[in-house]
Amino acid sequence: MKIIYFLSFFLISNFSFSMDKDKLEIDGKYTVDWNSTYTLSTLKTKTFHPLINNKISIGYNNHASIWCVFKIQNTDLKNSVKTWLCFENNHIDSLFFYDGKKIQLLGDRTNFVSPFMKGQCFSIALKPNENKTIQVKLKKEISFFEFSYSFDNEKTLSISSSRKTSFITLFLGSILFLLIFNFILYFITKSKLILKYILYSILTILYITIISNYLKNNLFNEFIYFSELQIYTACFWFISLSYFMMDFLELKKNQPQKHKIIYYCNLLIIVSILSSLVVLYTNLLNLLQFFFYITYSAFLILFSTITLASIANYKINKKNSLYVLFAFIPHFLWGNYFVLKSFSIIKADFHEDWVIYIGLYEVLFFGYVLTKNYIETFRKNNALNLEILAEKEKSIRLISHVQIRERRNIANIIHDNLGSKIAYVLQLLQLKNIAHANTTIQELANDIREISHQILPKSLDEGALLDSLKSQIYILNKGLQDVKIELFTYDFPENINEIWIYDIYLICLEIINNAIKHGESNHITIEFYGYSKNYRFQFTDDGVGFNSQGTPKGFGLENIEKRIHNYNGIFEINSVKNEGTIIQLSIPKKK
């Protein structure tokens, strides 16, 4: 990308146009034929004005022609001179050239093509000390009409045309590369912003290749409607740019008023374009100027609003605001210059080629920004995916650890309780003490049922969370000394149909175990609340507590938090050293 910018500025800096007039004396005059009724034979009776600064502008035009007459003398007494008369406006409808011997025709409305991209160029050959009078009729219907002229040698014109062709080809190739890449990005991301950039880039390519004479000169020689195509492409080019800017700055969310202004300006421009087409079709050409002024005024408001929105957006998104200002200010200056000049408010000159440079620069700049943003987003997403993967692996390890711990508990219960009783039954059977063995077997069955209930009560399958928990608390209170566990409920249903019922049951036992084992609690209070949108569970103990702000969560609490978050719930813990612990859980109800 940096290489492209370097080449572009290098090429721009080498766009120099020289004029070899050392051997020529030139006297130029012009007259305006407002109704296009003059002929070669009647020119002598018309009033001519001297050509000043090699430039003519008559402003808004409706069916007018401009006649230029050049008297040229070759002052060299020995050598012939060949020069080219060039009119630097590629979108004059027709140019009629007459040197007393031959007639040539060029222009946008003709099938004839100038040999050079610089403009509409006619060759003039003069013998030593020869004089010639050249008449040229230039016509451009229903538009802003201005042009400049120059006399150049063939070498200069060839070099400048080659450089211009190379410059535009280089940039078009870069834009096409970015377009292909952004097409791929669009199919990946389905981003509307990228789609609008693609549309804007396509219109930029079309507009630049029209205004630079690239299409007419190199590709479509016989097409005769480039003038209209230039005007309407420019309008839709600006509209597409404004929509892209609105999305890029997120104006609908951040600056809704400016978003509305831009939206209605674009709507006005579209209506004006459609109306102008109707006017052209019905041949009511006098009304066309009105729609020109409406369109230009809307563009003036649109350019100013986008610039102000970019400045105001600086506090919201500094980077995007700077991107827009850096890219759009050249467009803003050129657009306002063009509109104000069309209104004849300013007279300053601004070379047409600059809009080519601005458009290409802008498309390449935003293509680079979008590509850069996507790569940054891709990297962040990749890093996030790696973090998620690491969290999943950590969760799997935690789950495996829990499973191992629970299996170890079950193994210990079976070994310490059931194993010893089974061995005792076998001894009784060997001693043929059948009655005592039967009694022990019944005790063993009760123990197995009690252990099964402790692990996961059967009543949980029917939604009896409270009964299951009350039963387990009763057993714990009966078996523990100096520890009291209390359960209170507030509007909490006796039977509950939620998928998290098993997890809550095990979490309650885990919290009770932690409070007794690690918290050294003597009194544990459990409170269940039923609200309209969620269930809330609170566990309070009077244990030794800990610094909940500075101490990381242990394995048990971290596992509980993950299980609660899995149900879109909230886990909160507050503890102060030597003042006990409060744990609060909240889980939303099913919708």
Side-chain angles (χ1 to χ4, degrees):
M1 183 59 65
K2 291 179 180 178
I3 294 172
I4 291 171
Y5 283 125
F6 172 78
L7 288 174
S8 69
F9 287 116
F10 174 79
L11 286 167
I12 290 170
S13 66
N14 281 278
F15 265 85
S16 60
F17 305 100
S18 64
M19 295 189 294
D20 183 11
K21 297 192 292 182
D22 295 340
K23 300 176 182 179
L24 297 176
E25 286 186 359
I26 302 167
D27 178 33
K29 296 181 179 181
Y30 79 97
T31 186
V32 180
D33 179 7
W34 292 104
N35 298 309
S36 292
T37 58
Y38 298 177
T39 63
L40 283 171
S41 60
T42 61
L43 280 182
K44 295 179 181 180
T45 63
K46 307 304 177 183
T47 302
F48 280 81
H49 310 282
L51 284 166
I52 301 173
N53 298 325
N54 293 9
K55 191 175 183 70
I56 298 174
S57 176
I58 64 170
Y60 182 81
N61 156 65
N62 184 359
H63 202 60
S65 297
I66 297 176
W67 285 85
C68 295
V69 177
F70 299 94
K71 292 182 179 180
I72 307 172
Q73 181 181 2
N74 178 11
T75 59
D76 194 323
L77 301 178
K78 296 181 180 180
N79 300 307
S80 297
V81 173
K82 184 179 180 180
T83 188
W84 290 81
L85 171 58
C86 297
F87 294 92
E88 297 175 12
N89 182 336
N90 290 311
H91 301 290
I92 299 173
D93 290 343
S94 62
L95 297 92
F96 173 90
F97 174 93
Y98 180 66
D99 65 356
K101 294 180 180 180
K102 62 179 180 179
I103 294 175
Q104 296 181 57
L105 188 63
L106 291 176
D108 210 24
R109 274 283 195 273
T110 73
N111 296 326
F112 303 98
V113 180
S114 173
F116 306 107
M117 279 186 66
K118 183 179 180 181
Q120 311 292 344
C121 301
F122 300 94
S123 65
I124 303 171
L126 295 122
K127 296 176 182 179
N129 200 33
E130 182 183 3
N131 292 302
K132 276 192 177 182
T133 299
I134 308 296
Q135 291 99 2
V136 185
K137 176 185 177 182
L138 302 96
K139 183 173 176 59
K140 185 172 179 65
E141 295 186 9
I142 319 169
S143 181
F144 189 82
F145 194 3
E146 70 172 7
F147 63 88
S148 59
Y149 74 91
S150 64
F151 286 87
D152 288 302
N153 62 53
E154 188 167 339
K155 183 179 178 181
T156 301
L157 291 170
S158 296
I159 292 172
S160 64
S161 292
S162 297
R163 285 177 175 172
K164 193 170 185 179
T165 302
S166 301
F167 169 76
I168 294 173
T169 302
L170 171 67
F171 270 85
L172 290 181
S174 304
I175 293 173
L176 287 172
F177 173 77
L178 285 172
L179 271 177
I180 293 169
F181 184 75
N182 278 280
F183 265 116
I184 295 170
L185 290 188
Y186 173 70
F187 285 114
I188 293 172
T189 63
K190 302 299 180 185
S191 169
K192 290 183 179 179
L193 180 65
I194 293 176
L195 186 62
K196 289 177 180 179
Y197 168 77
I198 291 170
L199 176 62
Y200 166 63
S201 299
I202 292 170
L203 289 171
T204 301
I205 291 173
L206 183 59
Y207 181 68
I208 287 171
T209 52
I210 293 171
I211 199 171
S212 66
N213 207 31
Y214 190 90
L215 285 183
K216 178 79 171 178
N217 197 269
N218 297 297
L219 299 174
F220 303 104
N221 305 141
E222 297 183 358
F223 188 72
I224 61 173
Y225 296 104
F226 277 120
S227 290
E228 286 79 7
L229 196 59
Q230 175 195 347
I231 293 169
Y232 293 117
T233 301
C235 291
F236 287 110
W237 178 40
F238 294 144
I239 290 171
S240 66
L241 172 62
S242 67
Y243 275 108
F244 172 75
M245 293 292 192
M246 283 196 292
D247 273 18
F248 193 82
L249 294 172
E250 297 181 311
L251 293 189
K252 191 171 185 179
K253 178 179 71 175
N254 299 328
Q255 301 180 61
Q257 292 299 325
K258 291 186 178 68
H259 178 272
K260 286 182 180 179
I261 292 171
I262 297 172
Y263 173 82
Y264 285 117
C265 280
N266 283 328
L267 188 63
L268 181 61
I269 292 166
I270 292 171
V271 171
S272 181
I273 291 170
L274 295 175
S275 301
S276 69
L277 290 172
V278 174
V279 168
L280 283 171
Y281 181 76
T282 56
N283 205 31
L284 298 172
L285 302 182
N286 292 329
L287 295 175
L288 205 57
Q289 186 174 4
F290 171 72
F291 294 109
F292 268 105
Y293 288 146
I294 287 179
T295 303
Y296 288 160
S297 299
F299 276 128
L300 197 62
I301 297 170
L302 191 148
F303 292 143
S304 302
T305 305
I306 290 176
T307 305
L308 291 173
S310 305
I311 296 170
N313 195 69
Y314 187 82
K315 294 181 180 179
I316 302 169
N317 190 325
K318 181 179 178 181
K319 185 183 289 186
N320 280 8
S321 182
L322 290 175
Y323 281 152
V324 171
L325 288 172
F326 192 63
F328 187 68
I329 281 180
H331 212 137
F332 168 77
L333 295 174
W334 178 84
N336 282 289
Y337 155 80
F338 181 81
V339 173
L340 294 174
K341 186 175 181 181
S342 299
F343 287 155
S344 299
I345 296 174
I346 61 174
K347 301 292 183 182
D349 193 19
F350 202 107
H351 201 282
E352 186 181 69
D353 281 347
W354 280 106
V355 73
I356 301 173
Y357 310 145
I358 291 168
L360 291 172
Y361 157 74
E362 204 167 48
V363 170
L364 285 174
F365 181 84
F366 277 115
Y368 167 74
V369 168
L370 290 178
T371 303
K372 178 175 174 288
N373 287 348
Y374 174 78
I375 291 172
E376 288 179 355
T377 303
F378 177 79
R379 286 176 178 171
K380 288 178 182 178
N381 289 341
N382 192 41
L384 182 61
N385 289 334
L386 290 174
E387 289 180 11
I388 293 171
L389 184 62
E391 283 294 319
K392 286 183 178 179
E393 291 176 353
K394 185 177 179 181
S395 298
I396 291 170
R397 288 196 298 270
L398 290 174
I399 292 169
S400 298
H401 188 75
V402 170
Q403 289 176 339
I404 291 169
R405 188 185 67 182
E406 295 300 327
R407 287 176 180 178
R408 186 180 291 116
N409 290 338
I410 294 170
N412 289 337
I413 292 171
I414 292 173
H415 179 270
D416 296 341
N417 192 354
L418 303 182
S420 59
K421 286 190 177 181
I422 290 171
Y424 181 57
V425 169
L426 290 174
Q427 289 179 354
L428 292 175
L429 292 174
Q430 288 175 358
L431 296 172
K432 297 182 179 181
N433 189 345
I434 304 301
H436 198 180
N438 285 335
T439 303
T440 306
I441 289 171
Q442 288 179 358
E443 291 176 359
L444 184 60
N446 290 332
D447 287 346
I448 291 172
R449 188 163 46 253
E450 186 175 329
I451 291 169
S452 174
H453 186 76
Q454 289 177 5
I455 294 171
L456 204 63
K458 183 70 176 174
S459 59
L460 282 177
D461 293 338
E462 299 172 359
L465 174 62
L466 290 179
D467 285 345
S468 302
L469 201 55
K470 285 175 181 177
S471 176
Q472 190 60 33
I473 290 172
Y474 174 78
I475 294 169
L476 290 172
N477 279 330
K478 188 176 179 181
L480 294 171
Q481 295 181 352
D482 301 325
V483 176
K484 183 179 181 181
I485 305 169
E486 293 183 296
L487 173 64
F488 301 97
T489 62
Y490 306 92
D491 298 323
F492 198 90
E494 290 292 330
N495 292 296
I496 190 167
N497 181 24
E498 297 280 359
I499 58 172
W500 42 258
I501 185 172
Y502 303 98
D503 272 324
I504 286 294
Y505 175 79
L506 295 174
I507 285 170
C508 289
L509 297 185
E510 177 84 13
I511 291 173
I512 291 170
N513 181 63
N514 286 344
I516 296 171
K517 184 177 179 181
H518 302 295
E520 302 176 12
S521 303
N522 299 112
H523 188 197
I524 302 168
T525 303
I526 304 170
E527 297 167 284
F528 284 10
Y529 298 87
Y531 296 109
S532 58
K533 294 184 179 180
N534 66 317
Y535 297 103
R536 191 171 184 85
F537 311 88
Q538 181 167 297
F539 305 83
T540 308
D541 68 61
D542 61 350
V544 296
F546 62 94
N547 182 6
S548 59
Q549 301 299 322
T551 305
K553 299 183 182 72
F555 166 76
L557 291 177
E558 189 172 347
N559 184 47
I560 291 170
E561 184 176 19
K562 285 181 179 296
R563 288 152 78 182
I564 294 299
H565 287 169
N566 189 47
Y567 299 111
N568 298 319
I570 298 172
F571 174 88
E572 294 177 355
I573 182 167
N574 293 289
S575 184
V576 179
K577 200 166 184 178
N578 299 320
E579 292 187 16
T581 302
I582 298 175
I583 296 175
Q584 294 177 318
L585 314 175
S586 178
I587 300 178
K589 288 185 176 181
K590 289 190 299 186
K591 293 182 180 179

